Amino acid sequence: MSEDTVRKTTCYMCACRCGIDVHVRDGKVRYIEGNRDHPVNRGVLCAKGSAGIMQQYSPARLTGPLKRVGARGEGKFEPISWDEALELATSWLGEVRHTDPRKLAFFTGRDQSQSLTGWWAQQFGTPNFAAHGGFCSVNMATAGIYTFGGAFWEFGAPDWERTELFMLFGVAEDHDSNPIKLGLSRLKARGVKTIAVNPVRTGYNAVADDWVGITPGTDGLFVASLIHELLHAGRVDVDYLIRYTNAPWLVIDNPGEADHGLFARDDDGQPLVCDRTSGDVVPAATPGVRPTLKNAVTLADGRRAAPVFELMAHAYLDAGYAPAATAEATGVAADRTKAIAAQLAEAAFEKEIVLKRPWTDMKGERHETMIGRPVAFHAMRGISAHSNGFQTCRLIHLLQIMLGSIDVPGGYRFKPPYPRPVAAQPRPHGKESCADSPLSGPHLGFPEGPQDLQLAPDGVTPVRLDKAFSWEAPLSAHGLMHMVIANAHARDPYGIDVLFMYMANMAWNSSMNTSGTMKMLADTDENGEYVIPKIIYSDAYSSEMVAYADLVLPDTTYLERHDAISLLDRPISEPEALCDAIRWPVLEPDRDVRGFQSVLLDLGARLGLPGMVDDDGQAKYRDYADYIVNHERKPGVGPLAGWRGEDATGVGRGSPNPEQLERYIANGGFFREHIPEEALYYKHANQAWQDFAVARGLQDKPVENVFQLYVEPLRKFQLAAEGFGELQPPDHLRARLRDHLTPLPRWYPPLEETLIDQADYPLHAITQRPAAMYHSWGSQNAWLRQIHGENALYVPEDIAAEAGLQDGDWAWVTSPHGRIRVPVKRMAAVNGRTLWTWNAIGKRPGAWSLSPGAPEATKGFLLNHLIGELLPPRGDGRRWSNSDPVTGQAAWFDLRVRIEKADTGGATVEPHFPTQASPVPPPPKNVTWGKEWSG
Ligand code: SF4
């Protein structure tokens, strides 16, 4: 009998990127286990990861390039060769590039190669590129970067070994799966308390010691109440605020003038503070200064100014944030809010950690110890997916910072390459787009004021199709993918010629207004031509979106291709180590498919894109593997940090090493370098960290990172809205900018509920990702669909009783946007005003190689049909996207509904759609695996 070969690569059954050992025998996967040496999972493998076998042998895998022959959405295709497919794509894309590159919209879903895809789009010259962040969790990333140069998940992690109190906000099994499970188990072993704030008590929230079943969209109000309590009690780390934040910086108080609300600065632009000993106003960086946090001062020119902290005290000691005042809206009783505030203070200050670990700050001051405030937070989608998510997340960060718990022992810890504040981030590009030219920089970045918006010469019209970086969504650092199809269909701000998407199931679970989106994709104009003329789509599986493509470029599975889990992209570092990883083909494809990234480079070469062809016009990279090894984003810095240079000793910097991938494979598929001990905490102000980061190519030079409690760029947008400055927003957006882009975060109600009659729609409705599945990939997996083949709508007991609903009944759920009929179950462990269900279980009949009568198609459903990509009409004739007004984040969780029992038991969910023809060979009656090894 033949033996197993163990091949170590990176899991892709969710976004955590755990290390896996794939046991292969006779060219087939025998089983998968966790890689014990891997920094992310240390040997732990979840159910999804084990079920990667069934992803590999899924009947839904596309088998070769396809050209549409039926109508859009029908799913009828003819097979074509790769040559024909690539020639067709090149002709479509080439025509656009030669005329108007804006007419290409290139958007990718949950892929992990955005440093490549973004670079490709930049070389193509279209301004219309982003990945899925705009409908995922851009609020988290943006609020974090603007506040302290980091964020949750990929940018940082709790100090699991030292924290004494852990709080989760809005976290289901999304994004951070095995690492959170590992962390929670360590907390349990140490007896550390976890408090979970979430409307639904499942998963991590179910094993937490304390569950706060908050009303959706009110987390910011709850956190502001905690801040109110801490300020009231004087339980704030004043020394930390003075040393590491802009709390002492003076803010000009000059109402009605162009400088009102900006920082007072000296002639060199340095922010000013008031020394509490001398009373002098001096630059914040003055050696030996002891700035005051209180009281307004008069500047030398006679203007008044007050420290940021004074403004914070005024804002958050407001009676409206008192626990008694917020209790009704949040559903959290005042004494509970007070108790949690007291617990936070107790953990931070009474359980202070003192590590005898000398370090030197960026001002040259030597410290003999590292002081820890052992309170750690983690937050995700439940915070992010609201139209007030940016400011809510800012409030969470303010709370962390006031407790002194960012990058200290026991607190939140940065993961390399972070921290990376706005000053070290790029600005957005795109307005320079013109025929046959690349853009001058990356699409996505962090504006510092209106001057960085991507607007047409009129200063108003968005340059981008999704209207990112416009007055409608100024800080949209990840774009607004959820608006791409709707805007292309409305030709607002313009129509496009080619929609090119990768791994984004926009015709189903990745779109708001799913029914409407399907219609838009298939809609024709007065000439009978498709309104979106050409659609190119790449995926490994026959998702619902495939049926809407004109040209399908079939991707490989994650076990059949190369990938770089890159520090240039979405890294997997740990707080104590710089890490990156690869995927490599542990199996050969048995179909006529190609890795999308290799196909993209091939297209780039055929189009002659700069950087993708050599001086003779020949393809510069053979494939993605060749690119991973040889591409240099700047001299010596490429996709992978490990084993660089001729002698393979370079880390982060060094010439390309032809043996690099072999070195990764020999090391288990990843690279890790531990951070020097002196640089392990206080990275935002730690000289040893700065030296390490520069040496490893993470940044070009030391970057000062003063935490921004008060975000001045937001104030600059407000000033524009008040009429100051050359660039002026259109009048209809002035109030929106003024009210939502506040430099200190404030809570405001989710936008949708301000536009509807709440008596008509008294309930909230949200989705959560189950532990066993990750979006649509998992719910066609033969093993995982046995766990979740259908989903019910969970209804709080009181609401169910009121509506006369029992388990197994069916109900109509109605929102301002639509109506669905679904099966229900009663549930006690949920906020009393909230309905919820698992995400992305429902499937369209015929898709994913499932039979049309599969439970996913008859009893599985999406809430998406209830959610508009536009807000309810305001009567002004304008299209207002259902997004956070700061970042453009899709506000999935703002949904309001009512529920009624369905008169007749439904055999199927509504809406129910016509069956799509399957573009893949008919599946076997039973999907089996492993018989060949069963003796
Ligand atoms: S947590 Fe995600 S990446 Fe890790 S094993 Fe599970 S599915 Fe794979």
Side-chain angles (χ1 to χ4, degrees):
M1 191 188 237
S2 51
E3 299 277 308
D4 284 4
T5 310
V6 181
R7 295 173 181 164
K8 293 172 182 286
T9 183
T10 306
C11 185
Y12 204 165
M13 291 297 287
C14 84
C16 284
R17 293 155 291 172
C18 298
I20 49 173
D21 294 355
V22 184
H23 290 246
V24 178
R25 189 181 290 180
D26 302 329
K28 293 197 82 177
V29 184
R30 198 157 155 259
Y31 63 97
I32 298 173
E33 59 182 347
N35 178 346
R36 285 162 196 251
D37 301 319
H38 200 276
V40 171
N41 56 319
R42 283 169 277 160
V44 171
L45 190 73
C46 77
K48 300 180 294 249
S50 320
I53 294 172
M54 283 313 195
Q55 212 74 3
Q56 178 62 31
Y57 301 119
S58 165
R61 289 175 306 169
L62 296 168
T63 54
L66 299 167
K67 191 168 148 193
R68 180 177 57 78
V69 293
R72 282 224 186 122
E74 272 189 312
K76 292 185 180 158
F77 293 93
E78 66 177 11
I80 56 173
S81 69
W82 271 105
D83 276 347
E84 193 182 342
L86 292 168
E87 274 166 27
L88 194 56
T90 305
S91 72
W92 291 354
L93 293 168
E95 195 182 326
V96 168
R97 189 163 193 267
H98 294 323
T99 51
D100 182 356
R102 294 178 315 149
K103 299 287 179 132
L104 167 66
F106 177 41
F107 283 78
T108 69
R110 290 176 179 80
D111 73 293
Q112 294 170 359
S113 54
Q114 289 156 32
S115 79
L116 168 71
T117 52
W119 178 69
W120 188 94
Q122 185 184 323
Q123 304 311 97
F124 186 94
T126 177
N128 295 316
F129 165 79
H132 78 287
F135 68 67
C136 185
S137 292
V138 65
N139 271 337
M140 313 301 296
T142 310
I145 292 295
Y146 276 95
T147 307
F148 68 105
F152 296 115
W153 189 34
E154 288 167 317
F155 306 180
D159 191 350
W160 299 111
E161 305 303 338
R162 292 195 168 92
T163 196
E164 294 292 339
L165 181 62
F166 180 49
M167 271 190 96
L168 284 161
F169 294 90
V171 182
E173 283 278 332
D174 39 15
H175 296 93
D176 213 351
S177 186
N178 276 348
I180 295 257
K181 288 177 218 151
L182 279 163
L184 286 175
S185 69
R186 275 181 279 165
L187 297 188
K188 291 270 176 203
R190 290 201 295 116
V192 171
K193 181 169 185 174
T194 297
I195 303 172
V197 182
N198 198 316
V200 183
R201 189 168 198 186
T202 58
Y204 307 144
N205 303 281
V207 299
D209 302 282
D210 196 0
W211 170 59
V212 180
I214 198 160
T215 300
T218 66
D219 302 74
L221 195 53
F222 170 64
V223 175
S225 245
L226 295 173
I227 292 173
H228 174 99
E229 278 298 288
L230 292 169
L231 283 171
H232 211 264
R235 304 285 269 163
V236 173
D237 190 338
V238 171
D239 185 53
Y240 188 91
L241 291 179
I242 289 173
R243 281 183 183 278
Y244 307 122
T245 80
N246 67 6
W249 292 10
L250 295 170
V251 178
I252 296 164
D253 180 18
N254 199 8
E257 298 299 328
D259 55 359
H260 180 56
L262 299 180
F263 291 129
R265 296 178 185 272
D266 68 7
D267 292 344
D268 296 327
Q270 296 305 309
L272 300 174
V273 297
C274 177
D275 186 273
R276 79 180 103 136
T277 312
S278 66
D280 293 343
V281 172
V282 296
T286 305
V289 68
R290 290 161 51 84
T292 180
L293 295 180
K294 301 192 289 190
N295 300 329
V297 296
T298 302
L299 303 173
D301 59 11
R303 292 176 303 173
R304 297 285 289 168
V308 164
F309 191 75
E310 175 91 5
L311 305 183
M312 288 173 60
H314 186 256
Y316 304 120
L317 285 172
D318 185 278
Y321 286 136
T326 60
E328 188 181 342
T330 60
V332 186
D335 55 354
R336 250 182 125 200
T337 303
K338 289 182 181 190
I340 291 171
Q343 289 167 41
L344 289 169
E346 188 199 352
F349 302 115
E350 263 83 86
K351 297 184 179 176
E352 175 183 282
I353 293 170
V354 181
L355 294 186
K356 289 213 166 67
R357 221 179 255 188
W359 65 286
T360 303
D361 68 29
M362 289 176 73
K363 291 179 181 146
E365 189 180 339
R366 185 82 175 158
H367 304 261
E368 293 309 315
T369 57
M370 290 178 167
I371 305 293
R373 303 277 175 223
V375 173
F377 293 173
H378 182 70
M380 254 304 150
R381 180 73 65 79
I383 300 303
S384 196
H386 287 288
S387 54
N388 59 15
F390 172 82
Q391 296 290 23
T392 294
C393 194
R394 285 256 301 133
L395 281 160
I396 292 173
H397 294 321
L398 253 62
L399 178 56
Q400 291 176 288
I401 292 168
M402 287 167 66
L403 291 168
S405 69
I406 297 281
D407 218 46
V408 298
Y412 162 98
R413 303 181 70 187
F414 292 114
K415 299 200 275 194
Y418 296 90
R420 196 173 268 177
V422 170
Q425 299 280 358
R427 305 298 148 247
H429 293 76
K431 58 188 172 192
E432 68 273 36
S433 174
C434 62
D436 288 322
S437 296
L439 300 185
S440 55
H443 301 80
L444 305 177
F446 294 82
E448 290 187 296
Q451 73 281 1
D452 294 325
L453 293 178
Q454 297 303 298
L455 302 170
D458 65 5
V460 173
T461 308
V463 159
R464 290 177 54 111
L465 176 66
D466 60 0
K467 305 189 185 180
F469 307 114
S470 75
W471 295 108
E472 292 188 32
L475 307 188
S476 40
H478 292 178
L480 284 79
M481 188 165 180
H482 56 294
M483 294 307 299
V484 168
I485 292 168
N487 289 358
H489 178 260
R491 295 173 172 151
D492 172 21
Y494 47 80
I496 58 169
D497 284 340
V498 180
L499 177 65
F500 185 9
M501 288 194 157
Y502 173 51
M503 206 194 265
N505 198 10
M506 302 307 286
W508 198 246
N509 54 281
S510 291
S511 279
M512 296 163 145
N513 181 20
T514 301
S515 315
T517 302
M518 288 189 275
K519 284 197 191 101
M520 292 177 214
L521 287 168
D523 199 14
T524 52
D525 62 16
E526 58 282 1
N527 302 318
E529 306 290 335
Y530 286 118
V531 177
I532 300 174
K534 303 179 188 82
I535 300 178
I536 306 174
Y537 185 56
S538 179
D539 204 323
Y541 301 94
S542 67
S543 70
E544 287 85 351
M545 182 63 194
V546 167
Y548 289 88
D550 304 311
L551 175 62
V552 179
L553 306 174
D555 192 16
T556 63
T557 71
Y558 71 101
L559 297 176
E560 296 169 333
R561 69 150 175 267
H562 283 98
D563 262 329
I565 321 298
S566 169
L567 287 160
L568 301 182
D569 203 329
R570 304 179 57 188
I572 56 154
S573 293
E574 290 295 299
E576 310 224 337
L578 176 160
C579 310
D580 62 13
I582 63 163
R583 293 192 186 91
W584 59 286
V586 300
L587 298 169
E588 285 302 316
D590 56 359
R591 308 160 319 288
D592 190 17
V593 298
R594 295 182 186 177
F596 174 71
Q597 293 76 10
S598 293
V599 169
L600 200 60
L601 288 163
D602 189 338
L603 285 172
R606 288 168 190 252
L607 291 162
L609 300 187
M612 285 171 240
V613 285
D614 60 22
D615 293 343
D616 299 329
Q618 299 301 306
K620 192 166 172 192
Y621 302 109
R622 191 180 60 248
D623 55 17
Y624 191 35
D626 192 24
Y627 165 93
I628 290 171
V629 171
N630 291 308
H631 176 70
E632 291 178 277
R633 196 49 61 92
K634 47 192 171 189
V637 177
L640 293 175
W643 298 287
R644 299 194 67 82
E646 283 177 18
D647 59 0
T649 57
V651 179
R653 293 185 189 272
S655 57
N657 167 14
E659 311 282 309
Q660 193 180 31
L661 289 177
E662 285 71 31
R663 297 299 292 260
Y664 271 79
I665 292 168
N667 194 55
F670 68 93
F671 171 80
R672 169 172 50 198
E673 185 189 39
H674 287 281
I675 298 167
E677 189 167 279
E678 191 177 336
L680 281 176
Y681 292 103
Y682 292 99
K683 295 190 189 79
H684 48 279
N686 186 325
Q687 190 59 48
W689 164 259
Q690 296 291 332
D691 295 343
F692 178 82
V694 172
R696 298 297 179 258
L698 306 180
Q699 54 197 54
D700 292 332
K701 57 182 192 309
V703 180
E704 192 181 17
N705 182 10
V706 177
F707 295 163
Q708 300 293 296
L709 300 166
Y710 185 100
V711 174
E712 192 181 50
L714 291 169
R715 178 63 195 144
K716 290 180 178 173
F717 286 102
Q718 281 189 316
L719 281 168
E722 291 164 15
F724 297 103
E726 265 179 42
L727 278 170
Q728 286 293 297
D731 286 344
H732 71 275
L733 290 171
R734 288 184 191 276
R736 174 173 148 124
L737 290 160
R738 196 187 56 228
D739 294 348
H740 301 111
L741 278 75
T742 52
L744 284 177
R746 81 176 179 88
W747 181 82
Y748 55 86
L751 297 185
E752 179 172 303
E753 69 187 49
T754 65
L755 296 169
I756 58 168
D757 184 344
Q758 294 188 39
D760 273 351
Y761 305 101
L763 303 173
H764 301 260
I766 58 173
T767 59
Q768 293 203 145
R769 188 180 297 160
M773 287 190 181
Y774 187 71
H775 295 287
S776 38
W777 306 343
S779 45
Q780 53 86 33
N781 182 298
W783 287 349
L784 299 180
R785 61 188 290 257
Q786 294 176 50
I787 302 173
H788 296 283
E790 54 193 75
N791 52 316
L793 185 76
Y794 293 96
V795 182
E797 294 281 5
D798 287 353
I799 303 292
E802 214 174 280
L805 290 165
Q806 300 296 334
D807 284 0
D809 283 347
W810 289 68
W812 286 105
V813 184
T814 308
S815 75
H817 180 78
R819 195 166 185 240
I820 58 176
R821 184 174 64 184
V822 297
V824 299
K825 279 191 177 162
R826 298 161 71 110
M827 183 167 175
V830 59
N831 173 281
R833 290 146 65 184
T834 304
L835 316 176
W836 76 279
T837 191
W838 296 120
N839 189 26
I841 306 291
K843 295 273 170 279
R844 181 163 170 176
W848 297 98
S849 203
L850 299 176
S851 70
E856 287 84 350
T858 54
K859 293 183 176 164
F861 66 92
L862 304 177
L863 282 192
N864 305 44
H865 301 294
L866 300 176
I867 306 171
E869 80 281 16
L870 300 175
L871 287 168
R874 298 177 174 206
D876 59 2
R878 298 186 187 280
R879 302 168 74 241
W880 295 83
S881 81
N882 185 8
S883 307
D884 187 306
V886 183
T887 63
Q889 155 94 48
W892 300 95
F893 291 174
D894 283 1
L895 177 62
R896 296 295 293 256
V897 298
R898 64 171 174 267
I899 187 167
E900 301 145 276
K901 188 170 178 174
D903 286 341
T904 52
T908 59
V909 295
E910 289 287 346
H912 197 70
F913 296 91
T915 300
Q916 290 179 328
S918 178
V920 294
K925 187 159 172 16
N926 293 306
V927 177
T928 58
W929 162 89
K931 282 207 173 124
E932 53 270 56
W933 299 303
S934 60

